[in-house]
Amino acid sequence: MWKPAWLEALNTQKFFVACSFHEHAKKNEKNICCLDCCTSICPHCVAAHRVHRLLQVRRYVYHDVVRLEDLEKLIDCSSVQSYTINSSKVVFLKKRPQNRQFKGSGNICTSCDRSLQEPYFHCSLDCKVEYILRQKKDLSAYLRPCKILQLGPDFFIPHDADDDTTHSTLIDVDEPMGSSDSENFSAPCTNFVRKKRSGPYICARSANRVSDDDMATNMSRRKGVPHRSPLC
């Protein structure tokens, strides 16, 4: 009873756990299966597996699912019950525990006795594979040749994985601006640099020239009374 290595990996690999190679990076959950390496990887590992066949694994009611459109390129998924998530049909990879006994009309899964809708006979890919191996002992008639399998265009691959800065950084410049022989003085320029994951956003605020009388009036104001700063 031969089973391809990538199919065994889909059933045995753990998904949605932290990647050991990128344990300090953000978005490091393993949600991709590399069919050529037969292992689960995270989005940060995609660059090293770019030329391999990659299959995205999703989560639905705490279980691993794969988009039916992608899985159909690898194996015949007919008679496996599908579900709809965000306008995409998905199928479960593994068996799910049956909480209560089936009551009512309809089909029953051939492997785990789970109730199904018409006209399905398997609740997951693993149940169908187990049924075929038990009855026919050969999967070759159901496998499909697939040399290229890429992630969808909507899959997010982080490009700034090394930048873990999420807080704001304040940079003060003590050197005054303007000429030194001017009668009025220029207040220091304070730059607020806010770093985000999508890139740096720099908001600079420079002061206008103010007179000595205005500065004295501003310093003599009582504390706690809100006033607009003349430097704004």
Side-chain angles (χ1 to χ4, degrees), residues 182-199:
S182 175
E183 295 180 358
N184 298 328
F185 68 93
S186 297
C189 175
T190 302
N191 294 335
F192 293 88
V193 181
R194 178 168 296 173
K195 293 185 178 180
K196 295 185 178 179
R197 294 190 61 81
S198 58

Side-chain angles (χ1 to χ4, degrees), residues 13-207:
Q13 287 291 313
K14 290 186 178 180
F15 298 96
F16 296 94
V17 294
C19 177
S20 58
F21 296 104
H22 303 92
E23 56 182 349
H24 299 297
K26 295 184 177 180
K27 299 185 183 297
N28 65 343
E29 283 187 333
K30 294 182 176 182
N31 59 349
I32 308 168
C33 183
C34 179
L35 304 182
D36 294 327
C37 299
C38 300
T39 186
S40 56
I41 61 176
C42 75
H44 299 273
C45 302
V46 170
H49 300 259
R50 195 172 297 277
V51 297
H52 297 169
R53 295 175 299 168
L54 302 179
L55 184 65
Q56 181 183 0
V57 180
R58 305 166 188 249
R59 273 307 240 193
Y60 182 59
V61 291
Y62 305 104
H63 294 280
D64 299 334
V65 297
V66 174
R67 194 164 55 178
L68 179 62
E69 180 183 356
D70 297 334
L71 202 58
E72 282 281 3
K73 299 176 183 179
L74 301 165
I75 189 172
D76 179 17
C77 295
S78 59
S79 68
V80 179
Q81 181 164 321
S82 60
Y83 300 84
T84 303
I85 304 177
N86 297 332
S87 303
S88 298
K89 287 188 175 182
V90 298
V91 295
F92 286 94
L93 289 179
K94 306 172 185 178
K95 295 180 181 180
R96 292 166 291 155
Q98 180 78 355
N99 296 329
R100 49 189 175 179
Q101 192 175 4
F102 169 70
K103 293 181 180 180
S105 60
N107 294 337
I108 301 177
C109 180
T110 55
S111 298
C112 62
D113 297 333
R114 175 176 288 273
S115 60
L116 302 172
Q117 300 175 355
E118 294 283 354
Y120 303 109
F121 293 98
H122 314 286
C123 69
S124 65
L125 177 64
D126 187 36
C127 289
K128 179 172 183 175
V129 171
E130 181 181 325
Y131 173 78
I132 295 174
L133 293 178
R134 186 172 64 246
Q135 297 293 328
K136 302 181 180 181
K137 305 185 185 306
D138 187 13
L139 273 175
S140 57
Y142 298 88
L143 299 177
R144 295 173 177 173
C146 179
K147 296 183 178 180
I148 300 176
L149 186 60
Q150 298 178 344
L151 299 173
D154 57 337
F155 185 81
F156 174 74
I157 300 177
H159 297 286
D160 53 350
D162 296 333
D163 182 14
D164 294 329
T165 305
T166 56
H167 58 276
S168 299
T169 304
L170 179 66
I171 301 177
D172 293 333
V173 180
D174 296 332
E175 184 178 347
M177 299 179 64
S179 59
S180 58
D181 56 348
S182 175
E183 295 180 358
N184 298 328
F185 68 93
S186 297
C189 175
T190 302
N191 294 335
F192 293 88
V193 181
R194 178 168 296 173
K195 293 185 178 180
K196 295 185 178 179
R197 294 190 61 81
S198 58
Y201 291 83
I202 302 178
C203 177
R205 184 178 66 181
S206 59

